Amino acid sequence: MLTFINWISVWAIPVIIAFVPLYAFAKKVPVYESFVDGAKDGFSTAISIIPHLVGMMVAISVFRASGALDYVISLFTPLVSWMGVPGEVLPLGILRPLTGTGSLAFTTDLIKTYGPDSMIGRMASTIQGSTDTTLYVLTVYFGAVGIRNGRYALKVGLFSDVVGFIAALAICLIVFG
């Protein structure tokens, strides 16, 4: 099973990168011109999302500096420890919906401390790939296109992060446990 997962990991991205332009070419889409047009649009989008991005970064900094993150972690650590999940990965489940860079830094620290082949390293990597930066996505992308009422998207996004977190832990326990 592990050999099959490694094989998929090695070939998935190169196959997708080769498939997309070949498919577009077969459908007679001007591939290069479409790429250049998209890149031009990307600059204006980047400028328009800066205020939303700054606001989100300030909110995340306040959440971490106030001690709220540590308090939430202390509430859930006994529950995840009882289920056989190392408490060290719990902050990642909380950070990931908030900040991609912060969660990646935390994952990197866990891997440096415990090693990439440890259960904690594997769980951290799987959580990183199974969840998304929901609040960042809602703030930046919804702000860029002017969507003001994202409450349903927020509920679904956070629910999917919880499901992704739990599934990542369960799969790691099944495959590597």
Side-chain angles (χ1 to χ4, degrees):
M1 175 94 159
L2 190 57
T3 306
F4 179 68
I5 292 171
N6 286 335
W7 183 83
I8 289 174
S9 298
V10 169
W11 284 102
I13 300 296
V15 167
I16 291 170
I17 289 173
F19 174 76
V20 169
L22 289 174
Y23 182 77
F25 181 75
K27 292 290 187 176
K28 306 227 185 304
V29 173
V31 177
Y32 183 73
E33 292 80 5
S34 297
F35 174 78
V36 170
D37 288 341
K40 285 179 189 174
D41 293 341
F43 283 115
S44 62
T45 302
I47 298 299
S48 69
I49 65 174
I50 288 175
H52 304 284
L53 186 58
V54 169
M56 188 66 190
M57 292 173 77
V58 168
I60 291 167
S61 297
V62 168
F63 180 68
R64 293 179 77 186
S66 70
L69 176 63
D70 295 331
Y71 178 72
V72 171
I73 290 168
S74 69
L75 288 176
F76 287 103
T77 298
L79 176 66
V80 296
S81 296
W82 175 76
M83 296 184 321
V85 174
E88 291 85 353
V89 298
L90 184 58
L92 187 57
I94 296 168
L95 280 175
R96 184 69 176 142
L98 299 174
T99 170
T101 306
S103 64
L104 184 59
F106 191 81
T107 299
T108 302
D109 187 51
L110 287 176
I111 290 172
K112 281 182 184 176
T113 304
Y114 298 100
D117 292 330
S118 67
M119 182 60 85
I120 291 173
R122 289 175 173 166
M123 283 183 172
S125 299
T126 308
I127 291 166
Q128 189 74 15
S130 301
T131 56
D132 199 2
T133 54
T134 300
L135 297 177
Y136 172 84
V137 168
L138 292 177
T139 301
V140 173
Y141 296 117
F142 279 25
V145 296
I147 296 174
R148 298 286 174 234
N149 188 0
R151 69 175 182 252
Y152 297 116
L154 177 63
K155 291 175 188 174
V156 170
L158 291 177
F159 178 73
S160 67
D161 283 331
V162 169
V163 170
F165 180 75
I166 293 169
L169 297 177
I171 289 169
C172 284
L173 288 172
I174 292 168
V175 173
F176 303 115

